[in-house]
Amino acid sequence: MMRHLPNLLTVLRMLLVLPLAWLIRERHYDSALIVAAIAGFSDALDGFLAKRYGWQSWLGGLLDPIADKLLLIVSFVALGLTGAHPLWLTWLVIGRDLVIVAGALLYHTLIGRLSAEPTTLSKITTVLQIGYVLLQLVHLSSWVDVPVMLLTAAIWLVAIATLASGLDYVLKWSRRAARVRRATSREK
Protein backbone atom coordinates (compact mmCIF):
# COMPACT_ATOMS: atom_id res chain seq x y z
CA MET A 1 0.00 0.00 0.00
CA MET A 2 2.81 2.45 0.89
CA ARG A 3 4.35 2.06 -2.56
CA HIS A 4 1.41 4.05 -3.98
CA LEU A 5 2.10 7.03 -1.69
CA PRO A 6 4.19 8.93 -4.30
CA ASN A 7 1.34 8.66 -6.83
CA LEU A 8 -1.19 9.79 -4.23
CA LEU A 9 0.99 12.83 -3.48
CA THR A 10 1.15 13.58 -7.21
CA VAL A 11 -2.64 13.39 -7.48
CA LEU A 12 -2.88 15.72 -4.46
CA ARG A 13 -0.63 18.15 -6.31
CA MET A 14 -2.94 17.98 -9.32
CA LEU A 15 -5.92 18.69 -7.09
CA LEU A 16 -4.18 21.84 -5.82
CA VAL A 17 -4.20 23.37 -9.33
CA LEU A 18 -7.74 24.76 -9.17
CA PRO A 19 -7.50 26.24 -5.65
CA LEU A 20 -4.16 27.81 -6.57
CA ALA A 21 -5.62 29.38 -9.72
CA TRP A 22 -8.63 30.66 -7.80
CA LEU A 23 -6.50 32.12 -4.99
CA ILE A 24 -4.26 33.94 -7.47
CA ARG A 25 -7.24 35.19 -9.47
CA GLU A 26 -8.92 36.47 -6.32
CA ARG A 27 -5.62 38.03 -5.23
CA HIS A 28 -5.37 35.98 -2.03
CA TYR A 29 -1.62 35.83 -2.49
CA ASP A 30 -0.68 34.77 1.06
CA SER A 31 -2.90 31.70 0.74
CA ALA A 32 -1.74 31.09 -2.84
CA LEU A 33 1.86 31.07 -1.63
CA ILE A 34 0.99 28.50 1.04
CA VAL A 35 -0.77 26.27 -1.53
CA ALA A 36 2.19 26.61 -3.93
CA ALA A 37 4.60 25.73 -1.12
CA ILE A 38 2.52 22.64 -0.25
CA ALA A 39 2.55 21.63 -3.92
CA GLY A 40 6.33 22.10 -4.06
CA PHE A 41 6.83 20.11 -0.87
CA SER A 42 4.60 17.28 -2.16
CA ASP A 43 6.65 17.20 -5.39
CA ALA A 44 9.91 16.90 -3.47
CA LEU A 45 8.45 14.31 -1.08
CA ASP A 46 6.96 12.07 -3.77
CA GLY A 47 10.26 12.14 -5.67
CA PHE A 48 12.24 11.32 -2.54
CA LEU A 49 9.93 8.45 -1.55
CA ALA A 50 9.86 6.99 -5.06
CA LYS A 51 13.65 6.99 -5.34
CA ARG A 52 14.51 6.10 -1.74
CA TYR A 53 12.19 3.11 -1.50
CA GLY A 54 12.06 2.07 -5.15
CA TRP A 55 8.38 3.03 -5.39
CA GLN A 56 8.76 4.33 -8.93
CA SER A 57 6.08 3.32 -11.38
CA TRP A 58 5.10 3.85 -14.98
CA LEU A 59 2.03 5.77 -13.80
CA GLY A 60 4.12 7.98 -11.52
CA GLY A 61 6.54 8.69 -14.36
CA LEU A 62 3.58 9.85 -16.43
CA LEU A 63 1.64 11.76 -13.75
CA ASP A 64 4.53 13.63 -12.12
CA PRO A 65 5.52 15.79 -15.12
CA ILE A 66 1.85 16.35 -15.96
CA ALA A 67 1.22 17.62 -12.42
CA ASP A 68 4.25 19.91 -12.63
CA LYS A 69 3.19 21.29 -16.02
CA LEU A 70 -0.40 21.84 -14.88
CA LEU A 71 0.75 23.79 -11.84
CA LEU A 72 3.22 25.87 -13.81
CA ILE A 73 0.93 26.68 -16.72
CA VAL A 74 -2.01 27.53 -14.46
CA SER A 75 0.24 29.69 -12.27
CA PHE A 76 1.66 31.58 -15.26
CA VAL A 77 -1.81 32.09 -16.75
CA ALA A 78 -3.31 33.24 -13.44
CA LEU A 79 -0.39 35.58 -12.69
CA GLY A 80 -0.53 36.95 -16.24
CA LEU A 81 -4.27 37.57 -16.06
CA THR A 82 -3.90 39.46 -12.78
CA GLY A 83 -1.21 41.67 -14.30
CA ALA A 84 1.56 40.34 -12.09
CA HIS A 85 3.77 39.84 -15.15
CA PRO A 86 3.54 40.62 -18.86
CA LEU A 87 1.21 38.35 -20.85
CA TRP A 88 3.97 37.70 -23.38
CA LEU A 89 5.78 35.70 -20.67
CA THR A 90 2.70 33.54 -20.16
CA TRP A 91 2.42 32.97 -23.92
CA LEU A 92 6.11 32.13 -24.16
CA VAL A 93 5.84 29.48 -21.43
CA ILE A 94 2.68 27.98 -22.94
CA GLY A 95 4.07 28.23 -26.48
CA ARG A 96 7.22 26.34 -25.57
CA ASP A 97 5.20 23.50 -24.06
CA LEU A 98 2.87 23.39 -27.07
CA VAL A 99 5.85 23.23 -29.46
CA ILE A 100 7.35 20.37 -27.42
CA VAL A 101 4.07 18.42 -27.34
CA ALA A 102 3.41 19.04 -31.06
CA GLY A 103 6.95 17.95 -31.90
CA ALA A 104 6.60 14.81 -29.79
CA LEU A 105 3.32 13.92 -31.51
CA LEU A 106 4.84 14.51 -34.95
CA TYR A 107 7.89 12.43 -34.08
CA HIS A 108 5.72 9.62 -32.76
CA THR A 109 3.47 9.73 -35.83
CA LEU A 110 6.11 10.15 -38.53
CA ILE A 111 9.22 8.50 -37.08
CA GLY A 112 8.36 6.06 -34.33
CA ARG A 113 8.11 5.44 -30.62
CA LEU A 114 9.17 8.36 -28.50
CA SER A 115 10.83 8.11 -25.12
CA ALA A 116 10.44 11.25 -23.03
CA GLU A 117 13.88 12.49 -22.12
CA PRO A 118 13.96 15.90 -20.47
CA THR A 119 17.17 17.71 -21.32
CA THR A 120 19.39 19.36 -18.73
CA LEU A 121 18.37 22.76 -20.10
CA SER A 122 14.71 21.77 -19.77
CA LYS A 123 15.21 20.78 -16.13
CA ILE A 124 16.98 24.08 -15.44
CA THR A 125 14.14 25.95 -17.17
CA THR A 126 11.55 24.18 -15.04
CA VAL A 127 13.44 25.04 -11.85
CA LEU A 128 13.70 28.68 -12.97
CA GLN A 129 9.98 28.80 -13.80
CA ILE A 130 9.04 27.32 -10.42
CA GLY A 131 11.41 29.71 -8.67
CA TYR A 132 9.92 32.64 -10.56
CA VAL A 133 6.33 31.71 -9.64
CA LEU A 134 7.31 31.38 -5.98
CA LEU A 135 9.26 34.66 -6.09
CA GLN A 136 6.29 36.41 -7.68
CA LEU A 137 3.92 35.00 -5.04
CA VAL A 138 6.30 36.06 -2.27
CA HIS A 139 6.38 39.55 -3.81
CA LEU A 140 2.60 39.71 -4.07
CA SER A 141 2.07 38.38 -0.55
CA SER A 142 2.10 40.62 2.47
CA TRP A 143 5.15 38.87 3.91
CA VAL A 144 8.20 40.13 2.00
CA ASP A 145 8.84 43.07 -0.29
CA VAL A 146 10.84 41.76 -3.24
CA PRO A 147 12.74 44.44 -5.17
CA VAL A 148 11.23 45.16 -8.60
CA MET A 149 14.70 44.86 -10.18
CA LEU A 150 14.93 41.27 -8.92
CA LEU A 151 11.50 40.45 -10.38
CA THR A 152 12.42 42.05 -13.70
CA ALA A 153 15.66 40.07 -13.83
CA ALA A 154 13.75 36.88 -13.00
CA ILE A 155 11.25 37.54 -15.80
CA TRP A 156 14.04 37.94 -18.34
CA LEU A 157 15.97 34.94 -17.02
CA VAL A 158 12.85 32.75 -17.30
CA ALA A 159 12.10 34.12 -20.78
CA ILE A 160 15.63 33.43 -22.07
CA ALA A 161 15.77 29.95 -20.52
CA THR A 162 12.28 29.08 -21.83
CA LEU A 163 13.16 30.20 -25.35
CA ALA A 164 16.54 28.44 -25.30
CA SER A 165 15.00 25.24 -23.97
CA GLY A 166 12.31 25.23 -26.65
CA LEU A 167 14.88 25.76 -29.39
CA ASP A 168 17.09 23.06 -27.85
CA TYR A 169 14.24 20.53 -28.03
CA VAL A 170 13.40 21.44 -31.63
CA LEU A 171 17.03 21.13 -32.77
CA LYS A 172 17.79 17.90 -30.88
CA TRP A 173 14.64 16.09 -31.96
CA SER A 174 14.92 17.35 -35.56
CA ARG A 175 18.46 15.97 -35.76
CA ARG A 176 17.34 12.70 -34.18
CA ALA A 177 14.45 12.40 -36.66
CA ALA A 178 16.81 13.07 -39.58
CA ARG A 179 19.23 10.38 -38.35
CA VAL A 180 16.44 7.82 -37.99
CA ARG A 181 15.04 8.69 -41.45
CA ARG A 182 18.50 8.30 -43.03
CA ALA A 183 19.08 4.98 -41.28
CA THR A 184 15.65 3.73 -42.32
CA SER A 185 16.13 4.74 -45.95
CA ARG A 186 19.52 2.94 -46.09
CA GLU A 187 17.95 -0.26 -44.81
CA LYS A 188 15.39 -0.31 -47.64
Side-chain angles (χ1 to χ4, degrees), residues 29-30 33 79 83-85 131-152 155:
Y29 298 120
D30 292 357
L33 181 57
L79 288 167
H85 64 234
Y132 167 75
V133 167
L134 291 174
L135 181 67
Q136 188 64 263
L137 289 174
V138 166
H139 171 71
L140 294 167
S141 76
S142 62
W143 298 339
V144 178
D145 188 27
V146 176
V148 174
M149 279 183 39
L150 180 59
L151 281 172
T152 302
I155 286 170

Side-chain angles (χ1 to χ4, degrees), residues 12-182:
L12 167 69
R13 198 161 68 252
M14 291 172 130
L15 294 174
L16 292 176
V17 169
L18 288 178
L20 180 61
W22 182 82
L23 289 166
I24 293 171
R25 194 193 78 155
E26 295 298 316
R27 292 174 166 70
H28 298 297
Y29 298 120
D30 292 357
S31 299
L33 181 57
I34 292 168
V35 170
I38 291 169
F41 177 74
S42 77
D43 189 21
L45 182 60
D46 80 53
F48 169 77
L49 292 173
K51 287 183 180 103
R52 172 75 169 89
Y53 296 106
W55 294 342
Q56 294 147 320
S57 67
W58 175 85
L59 181 61
L62 180 69
L63 290 179
D64 190 64
I66 291 172
D68 292 344
K69 281 297 161 197
L70 277 173
L71 275 165
L72 274 174
I73 288 173
V74 165
S75 295
F76 271 90
V77 168
L79 288 167
L81 291 176
T82 61
H85 64 234
L87 278 177
W88 62 260
L89 182 63
T90 298
W91 287 112
L92 182 63
V93 169
I94 292 170
R96 170 197 173 259
D97 290 341
L98 288 175
V99 165
I100 291 170
V101 168
L105 289 172
L106 276 172
Y107 188 94
H108 182 77
T109 303
L110 300 175
I111 306 297
R113 186 173 173 90
L114 176 77
S115 60
E117 301 168 16
T119 65
T120 301
L121 185 54
S122 176
K123 291 177 183 179
I124 291 168
T125 299
T126 300
V127 167
L128 289 171
Q129 289 175 350
I130 291 168
Y132 167 75
V133 167
L134 291 174
L135 181 67
Q136 188 64 263
L137 289 174
V138 166
H139 171 71
L140 294 167
S141 76
S142 62
W143 298 339
V144 178
D145 188 27
V146 176
V148 174
M149 279 183 39
L150 180 59
L151 281 172
T152 302
I155 286 170
W156 285 106
L157 183 59
V158 166
I160 291 166
T162 301
L163 190 58
S165 172
L167 289 172
D168 184 47
Y169 268 112
V170 168
L171 293 173
K172 281 184 178 177
W173 284 97
S174 295
R175 284 192 297 261
R176 185 175 290 182
R179 277 195 310 270
V180 170
R181 286 261 189 198
R182 280 193 301 274

